[in-house]
Every structure is written in structure tokens, then in C-alpha cells.
Amino acid sequence: MADLSSLKDLGTAQEASAPVHVRKVDAQGRSYATGKRKNAIARVWVKPGTGKITVNGRDFPVYFARPVLQMILKQPIVAAARVDQFDIVATVTGGGLSGQAGAVRHGISKALTYFEPGLRSVLKKGGFLTRDSRVVERKKYGKAKARRSFQFSKR
């Protein structure tokens, strides 16, 4: 880079290397993604269908009985305006129900972007593609919990 005129060439090279999102679909016409939240990991398959959502072999209202968890699960589908257009099959392990619901939501969002790359901007704005990295802090020695100390007594 001897002079400023070479900077113009540098800018065009970076624009050409911008990430291009391509459709990732297997032989059965499904899109696969892994979603994570806390200690829960969800494997999610999305394919065109009637809107049936299955989690660990059960319908999702049976597996996630609380309405809040059901709402969390449907968020990316509603945001993408694709209600009753995709069949979703999820296998989720680890963590509790709240973490599992978050993991399935993350997996659904990623799988939808693989199936239909045009939805990426909508789901990204909704914050569904970001992996929530918060996990439980480990317990330290000399402490009752991660940060809580034992009760202090002067005598």
C-alpha cells in the first residue's frame, strides 16, 4: 500500500467477500440446526408441512405444558410469518424445561434461516439467532454458593 489510490481496490475486495447465505437442505427436503441455551441442547429438523411441532416424540403442548414456554417456542415462526407452513421435529436433552424451550427456539430459528435464507434479517432483528450465553456460575470453595458467604458472627 504505497499511496491512497490502492485503498480503493482494498474496499472492493472486502465487499466481494461478504458472507452469502445459501439454502441448506438434505435429501428429504429438511433443514437441520442445533440450538443451545444454558445446559440444554436441541437438535431441530424443519420441513414443509402443516405446522405440527413435535418435541422428543410428543406434541409440544404436552411436553411444554406452561403457556409461556409454548409462546417462546412459537416466537420465531410467528415473527417470520410462517405459521402452519412447517413441520418441526426436535430432540432436546439437558437442562430444565425453560432452558430446553430456549434451545428449541434457537434451533428453530437457525433451521428456518437454513431453509429460507431470506428470513435471516427478520429473525436476526428479533434476537432469535443469538445464542444466550448465560450459564450458571460455578460454586467457589469457602462460599455457600457461587458468591454467597456464610453468615458472619463476631462471637
Side-chain angles (χ1 to χ4, degrees), residues 27-103:
Q28 287 87 25
R30 301 175 304 181
S31 210
Y32 168 79
T34 306
K36 295 182 181 181
R37 169 91 168 86
K38 293 187 177 179
N39 279 339
I41 299 171
R43 298 181 300 163
V44 179
W45 289 268
V46 170
K47 65 178 180 179
T50 59
K52 186 176 183 194
I53 303 174
T54 309
V55 179
N56 286 355
R58 292 187 265 175
D59 286 339
F60 86 100
V62 175
Y63 192 83
F64 295 113
R66 282 187 275 164
V68 174
L69 300 180
Q70 294 174 20
M71 185 230 9
I72 286 172
L73 212 72
K74 290 181 185 175
Q75 279 178 332
I77 305 163
V78 172
R82 297 293 186 270
V83 181
D84 298 335
Q85 292 185 20
F86 291 106
D87 284 346
I88 298 168
V89 178
T91 311
V92 63
T93 58
L97 281 178
S98 176
Q100 286 186 352

Side-chain angles (χ1 to χ4, degrees), residues 8-18:
K8 186 167 69 173
D9 301 332
L10 187 68
T12 57
Q14 286 179 346
E15 290 170 9
S17 66

Side-chain angles (χ1 to χ4, degrees), residues 113-143:
T113 58
Y114 293 151
F115 195 88
E116 223 176 301
L119 296 175
R120 184 173 169 80
S121 61
V122 175
L123 294 172
K124 188 87 169 147
K125 281 179 190 158
F128 303 124
L129 295 176
T130 307
R131 194 256 199 244
D132 192 348
S133 60
R134 295 176 296 171
V135 291
V136 178
E137 189 176 347
R138 78 171 191 87
K139 185 195 175 301
K140 282 78 169 185
Y141 61 88
K143 296 279 187 179

